[in-house]
Amino acid sequence: MAEITNVKSPRVKAVRRLTKRAFRDRDRAFLAEGPQAIREALRTPGVTVELYATTEAEARHPDIVAAARDAGVPVHRTSGEVMAELTQTVTPQGLVAVCRFVHVPLEEAVRPGARLVAVLAHVRDPGNAGTVLRTADAAGADAVVFTDASVDPYNGKCVRASAGSLFHLPVSINARFPETVRQAREAGLRILAADASGARTLDEVDLSRPTAWVFGNEAWGLPPELLELADEVVRVPIYGRAESLNLATAAAVCLYASARAQRRSLHPVEDPSTSLG
Amino acid sequence: MAEITNVKSPRVKAVRRLTKRAFRDRDRAFLAEGPQAIREALRTPGVTVELYATTEAEARHPDIVAAARDAGVPVHRTSGEVMAELTQTVTPQGLVAVCRFVHVPLEEAVRPGARLVAVLAHVRDPGNAGTVLRTADAAGADAVVFTDASVDPYNGKCVRASAGSLFHLPVSINARFPETVRQAREAGLRILAADASGARTLDEVDLSRPTAWVFGNEAWGLPPELLELADEVVRVPIYGRAESLNLATAAAVCLYASARAQRRSLHPVEDPSTSLG
């Protein structure tokens, strides 16, 4: 197999352009970097368009190269210099896949029967957004919605932080917030906005009901006009002296509190605090 | 007040050196950057040694400059160029304080009566460590222990990520792990190691008892010889398809699950899931 060594070749330039949102939107394609994300992409039929790999990465991850070939995905061997051009990480792992957009329309992501949905409104940091997506997946959420004021989930940092979760559950993007709330309510979900201004804390709210959690901006939270559209504004209790939690940890506490309460109500078991543990 | 403009002055060099661990350990001092951390440092008597501020930062944060003067802390006006030399952030906020070490001996941090302690063993990323410290503070933990295999909590990124929590609760550093476990057990705490290898999940363990949570390395978790010293290895349940949670979000889920269970058992209230919510 011939190795791609020319960093100025049209092919390399075309792939490199996908690090920019405008080109991603035009091509309806994005880049997934590193073994974990690419493994998950390859598990989803029809998503991976092509794979670029250095000789070292091919030797280190024969399973990925084999999975790509089995799926009919072209594998291009590239020099380290070309790989550096295609990746955005400081220490590239030698693997980049071009993937087709995976998001679905809002009404397909948020459907009747859903029990847990995460809505990212005004989340701007791609690392935070990807971490919330990963946490929502871990907590068994049915969908994640990125509103039009949030970061692009196909941003390289977001894809990396999601650790493959972008390929695991329905993700909707560019949704307007009021439309998202309407859709979630029609699907039978209660809309809880996580914000420090909430009158009640997590501990005081019934979390066993189907819920859409709304998470806001890292620095300033959620604007009043969005808070008003929620059924309730709920805060994570601060038991110590910290002023607040960061966005991704607050989202983890909310999503897991809901997931655990829903499971307790569906499968009631003896409360472990009353047994000897 | 004369402005410090010479980036090569001995004073600037002496402060700049505190970005390196060896010099921090020698001087028993570290740097706190930005308004939030410095406000919290100034609230703790005897901690802040001196404050460096640009003219713009002085104008933007008159409360901080006033608090420093009230506390007898010298305030040095510095040029933007000198500030850039003293800070490690890409967009410095114009304020740096030299602070005395705030950690306490292990036996002072982990005492009988403690109900919740976080132990960082082999946590290497300073941003993660600072986030766990902030979350432990928010969850009302009694102390945080950094073992000798973990990152230095006085690392600039860790101080920033802790968002002032480094000054809020007893922190112990350089503790050996077996010694930490012994001390925690003597203080009446149960040692729960958070690790994906746990036989039981969070949902199956009595979290209302006084607990020391142990968190391990970002990539490979906790080594077997440390897991063996814990009373139990507990995993965060993964309800969806994600392989794992990242360290800081897993720690948030564990610490808040404990804090909420302890509060429920101390102040039993009607389960909100049985009311109309």
Side-chain angles (χ1 to χ4, degrees):
Chain A
M1 181 164 53
E3 187 177 91
I4 303 175
T5 57
N6 180 5
V7 297
K8 295 191 171 163
S9 76
R11 178 188 286 278
V12 172
K13 281 189 178 169
V15 174
R16 166 83 195 164
R17 274 204 299 245
L18 296 177
T19 59
K20 296 211 170 72
R21 183 170 193 167
F23 290 101
R24 289 196 293 268
D25 287 345
R26 197 194 62 175
D27 293 357
R28 303 189 59 78
F30 68 103
L31 301 177
E33 273 183 45
Q36 192 177 22
I38 294 174
R39 253 186 220 110
E40 300 305 309
L42 285 166
R43 279 184 190 143
T44 320
V47 161
T48 316
V49 179
E50 48 183 9
L51 177 64
Y52 293 83
T54 60
T55 314
E56 297 75 23
E58 275 188 55
R60 210 163 43 234
H61 304 289
D63 61 315
I64 292 178
V65 176
R69 293 198 204 286
D70 285 353
V73 171
V75 180
H76 306 290
R77 187 174 292 164
T78 66
S79 69
E81 202 189 348
V82 166
M83 186 53 64
E85 188 72 14
L86 299 184
T87 55
Q88 296 183 286
T89 34
V90 185
T91 47
Q93 296 173 283
L95 290 169
V96 173
V98 176
C99 298
R100 287 192 186 88
F101 275 5
V102 292
H103 63 269
V104 297
L106 180 63
E107 57 277 16
E108 208 173 295
V110 181
R111 308 171 83 136
R115 298 192 57 83
L116 186 58
V117 167
V119 178
L120 280 69
H122 295 277
V123 174
R124 297 279 164 80
D125 179 81
N128 282 337
T131 302
V132 175
L133 180 49
R134 178 180 178 183
T135 307
D137 178 17
D142 299 286
V144 174
V145 178
F146 285 69
T147 72
D148 54 3
S150 279
V151 71
D152 178 14
Y154 298 119
N155 174 300
K157 277 191 193 165
C158 182
V159 176
R160 269 196 302 286
S162 90
S165 291
L166 179 58
F167 304 105
H168 287 164
L169 75 175
V171 171
S172 185
I173 72 170
N174 286 331
R176 287 189 55 249
F177 187 75
E179 198 188 324
T180 306
V181 166
R182 202 178 314 125
Q183 179 68 27
R185 206 165 271 143
E186 277 175 22
L189 294 154
R190 194 165 49 146
I191 321 298
L192 298 184
D195 196 273
S197 66
R200 295 203 294 174
T201 73
L202 268 190
D203 300 340
E204 297 161 323
V205 176
D206 176 10
L207 295 175
S208 67
R209 295 167 57 185
T211 298
W213 275 108
V214 181
F215 305 110
N217 184 265
E218 292 81 351
W220 45 263
L222 286 161
E225 64 274 22
L226 299 201
L227 290 175
E228 267 174 30
L229 293 176
D231 292 313
E232 182 162 356
V233 182
V234 177
R235 66 191 151 83
V236 176
I238 302 288
Y239 302 120
R241 290 176 59 201
E243 242 176 66
S244 63
L245 288 170
N246 81 19
L247 173 76
T249 52
V253 172
C254 293
L255 291 167
Y256 262 86
S258 282
R260 298 176 72 211
Q262 292 183 356
R263 272 161 181 77
R264 268 200 304 271
S265 84
L266 287 173
H267 312 286
V269 287
E270 194 189 357
D271 183 348
S273 71
T274 61
S275 74
L276 291 175
Chain B
M1 179 164 55
E3 186 175 273
I4 303 175
T5 57
N6 180 4
V7 296
K8 294 192 171 164
S9 76
R11 176 187 286 278
V12 172
K13 282 188 177 171
V15 174
R16 166 82 193 165
R17 275 204 298 246
L18 295 177
T19 58
K20 295 209 170 74
R21 183 170 193 168
F23 289 101
R24 290 197 292 268
D25 287 345
R26 197 194 63 178
D27 294 356
R28 301 188 60 76
F30 67 104
L31 301 177
E33 274 184 43
Q36 191 178 22
I38 293 174
R39 253 186 219 111
E40 300 306 307
L42 284 165
R43 280 183 190 145
T44 318
V47 161
T48 317
V49 179
E50 49 183 11
L51 177 64
Y52 293 83
T54 61
T55 315
E56 296 75 23
E58 277 188 53
R60 211 163 42 233
H61 304 290
D63 62 313
I64 292 179
V65 176
R69 292 200 205 286
D70 285 353
V73 171
V75 180
H76 306 289
R77 187 174 293 164
T78 66
S79 68
E81 202 190 350
V82 166
M83 185 55 62
E85 189 71 14
L86 299 183
T87 55
Q88 295 183 287
T89 35
V90 184
T91 49
Q93 296 174 282
L95 289 169
V96 172
V98 176
C99 298
R100 287 192 186 87
F101 274 5
V102 293
H103 63 270
V104 297
L106 180 63
E107 57 277 18
E108 209 174 294
V110 181
R111 308 172 83 138
R115 298 192 56 82
L116 186 59
V117 167
V119 178
L120 279 69
H122 295 278
V123 175
R124 296 280 164 78
D125 179 82
N128 281 338
T131 302
V132 176
L133 179 49
R134 177 180 177 183
T135 307
D137 178 16
D142 298 286
V144 175
V145 178
F146 286 69
T147 72
D148 54 4
S150 279
V151 70
D152 178 16
Y154 298 119
N155 173 300
K157 277 190 193 165
C158 182
V159 175
R160 268 197 302 285
S162 92
S165 291
L166 180 58
F167 304 105
H168 286 165
L169 75 175
V171 171
S172 186
I173 72 170
N174 287 331
R176 287 188 54 250
F177 186 76
E179 197 188 324
T180 305
V181 167
R182 202 178 313 122
Q183 179 68 27
R185 206 165 271 143
E186 278 176 23
L189 295 154
R190 193 163 50 145
I191 322 298
L192 297 185
D195 196 272
S197 67
R200 293 204 295 174
T201 74
L202 267 189
D203 300 340
E204 297 161 321
V205 176
D206 175 11
L207 295 175
S208 66
R209 295 167 59 185
T211 298
W213 275 106
V214 181
F215 305 110
N217 183 265
E218 291 83 348
W220 45 262
L222 285 160
E225 64 274 22
L226 299 200
L227 290 175
E228 267 173 31
L229 293 175
D231 293 313
E232 183 163 353
V233 181
V234 177
R235 66 191 152 85
V236 177
I238 302 288
Y239 302 121
R241 291 175 60 201
E243 242 176 67
S244 63
L245 288 169
N246 81 18
L247 173 76
T249 51
V253 172
C254 293
L255 291 166
Y256 262 88
S258 282
R260 298 177 73 212
Q262 292 183 356
R263 273 162 181 77
R264 268 201 303 272
S265 85
L266 286 173
H267 312 286
V269 287
E270 193 189 357
D271 182 348
S273 71
T274 61
S275 74
L276 290 176

